[in-house]
Amino acid sequence: MPGGPLACHEGDAIISGIDQLLRHGKFAHVVATQDWHPAGHTSFASTHENAPPFTTIALNGKQQTLWPNHCVQGTPGAALHSGIDWTQVDLVLRKGRQPQIDSYSAFRENHGPDGMRPSTGLAGWLRERGVTEVFICGLARDVCVLWTAQDARDAGFHVQLLWDLSRPVAPGNDDALWKQLANANIATVLSSDMPAGEVQG
């Protein structure tokens, strides 16, 4: 949120829309993700000498963006936003808990030392409940939301990204993001286009 250490551009603009969508009870199941990093997480720039935030390093054989310290376990900065009524949520999935592995997607951790991306178990949780379609929103559109959408599609779900209920870390790359989503067969929709009744996603 604006004012926080890893503020997304206009991040607070999505709060009321997400709250209204949840209050309308349109979804059969709702999952919230929560970054839950230990202090000294490897993705924090502060854990790497002379590495400013938003630079990249090689980590586990892949490029890793170094972030400001954010969403540290048990701190107010890791809390779900109080402006949203979370009573409709079935599952809160905490990610980024492994000190040496970052975690953008709700479905898989980032690459570990063995090059693999461990599953969070979310795909199986959804399948056991008969979910075939997922709607994704939140922060940040160009990082966690994007990776979640891509992994959901790779897991076989029909994916729709609620464009107006997401915001990027920084503005200016929407055209490239649109192309990435289109190439991955991920639809972008507006919350106002949601069907009137309950959806099964």
Side-chain angles (χ1 to χ4, degrees), residues 44-195:
F44 294 169
S46 63
T47 65
H48 302 271
E49 188 174 359
N50 299 320
F54 304 107
T55 57
T56 58
I57 64 168
L59 180 67
N60 297 327
K62 302 291 181 180
Q63 291 296 301
Q64 168 70 48
T65 298
L66 296 179
W67 307 105
N69 293 17
H70 66 284
C71 297
V72 176
Q73 295 175 2
T75 69
L80 296 175
H81 198 283
S82 61
I84 295 174
D85 179 0
W86 298 104
T87 56
Q88 293 294 322
V89 171
D90 300 296
L91 173 69
V92 177
L93 190 151
R94 288 176 168 171
K95 60 190 184 71
R97 299 174 65 240
Q98 302 299 320
Q100 298 301 318
I101 305 175
D102 207 358
S103 186
Y104 297 159
S105 170
F107 288 87
R108 291 191 176 278
E109 309 282 357
N110 291 14
H111 295 87
D114 58 0
M116 303 299 290
R117 296 185 60 212
S119 171
T120 65
L122 179 58
W125 188 94
L126 293 172
R127 289 192 190 102
E128 286 182 356
R129 287 155 180 79
V131 174
T132 58
E133 183 174 30
V134 297
F135 296 81
I136 301 171
C137 62
L139 303 175
R141 178 193 287 160
D142 49 346
V143 187
C144 295
V145 172
L146 172 63
W147 282 52
T148 296
Q150 291 172 327
D151 283 345
R153 186 69 186 87
D154 289 345
F157 297 99
H158 178 65
V159 184
Q160 301 198 51
L161 193 157
L162 297 169
W163 189 263
D164 58 318
L165 299 184
S166 65
R167 291 293 188 278
V169 172
N173 63 351
D174 280 353
D175 288 344
L177 184 56
W178 273 96
K179 291 178 182 177
Q180 275 186 279
L181 294 169
N183 290 339
N185 198 26
I186 296 167
T188 54
V189 297
L190 300 177
S191 58
S192 58
D193 296 332
M194 292 289 296

